[in-house]
Amino acid sequence: MAASTPLKGIELIDCAKANAKQGIETAAGLCGYGRDLNTFKQELQHACSQIGVQVNELSDLITDQQVIRQGEGVEVAPDTPSEL
């Protein structure tokens, strides 16, 4: 769900990180910045600098754990709804 007002600080970082794999347009929209990508980038860089993290691109927020999790996993599900 998109934020009703533009997020700031750690909330912005958390939202951007959670949506980084979906791309900057999606992340900006969900963080409350709509299509204003420049302001989104500036606010994200400012928020990250406040906590001592340097971010040049949104993809810098994607951690190794997120990349590893994407490739792993086995789906476990019943063959039919009646086998629940």
Side-chain angles (χ1 to χ4, degrees), residues 5-18 31 33 39-53 55 61:
T5 59
L7 300 176
K8 305 279 185 189
I10 195 72
E11 291 85 12
L12 173 58
I13 296 169
D14 288 344
C15 181
K17 182 178 179 181
C31 293
Y33 289 86
T39 302
F40 172 70
K41 288 179 196 177
Q42 289 172 353
E43 290 296 327
L44 182 58
Q45 287 177 339
H46 177 70
C48 287
S49 70
Q50 286 184 320
I51 64 167
V53 175
V55 173
L61 294 176

Side-chain angles (χ1 to χ4, degrees), residues 6-82:
L7 300 176
K8 305 279 185 189
I10 195 72
E11 291 85 12
L12 173 58
I13 296 169
D14 288 344
C15 181
K17 182 178 179 181
N19 297 292
K21 285 194 237 177
Q22 297 175 23
I24 191 166
E25 293 87 5
T26 301
L30 292 173
C31 293
Y33 289 86
R35 296 181 183 206
D36 190 356
L37 301 182
N38 289 328
T39 302
F40 172 70
K41 288 179 196 177
Q42 289 172 353
E43 290 296 327
L44 182 58
Q45 287 177 339
H46 177 70
C48 287
S49 70
Q50 286 184 320
I51 64 167
V53 175
Q54 176 152 353
V55 173
N56 296 316
E57 298 178 15
L58 183 62
S59 61
D60 293 344
L61 294 176
I62 300 173
T63 62
D64 292 339
Q65 290 86 2
Q66 288 173 305
V67 173
I68 291 170
R69 279 190 225 151
Q70 181 179 350
E72 292 183 11
V74 176
E75 183 177 325
V76 178
D79 293 330
T80 66
S82 64

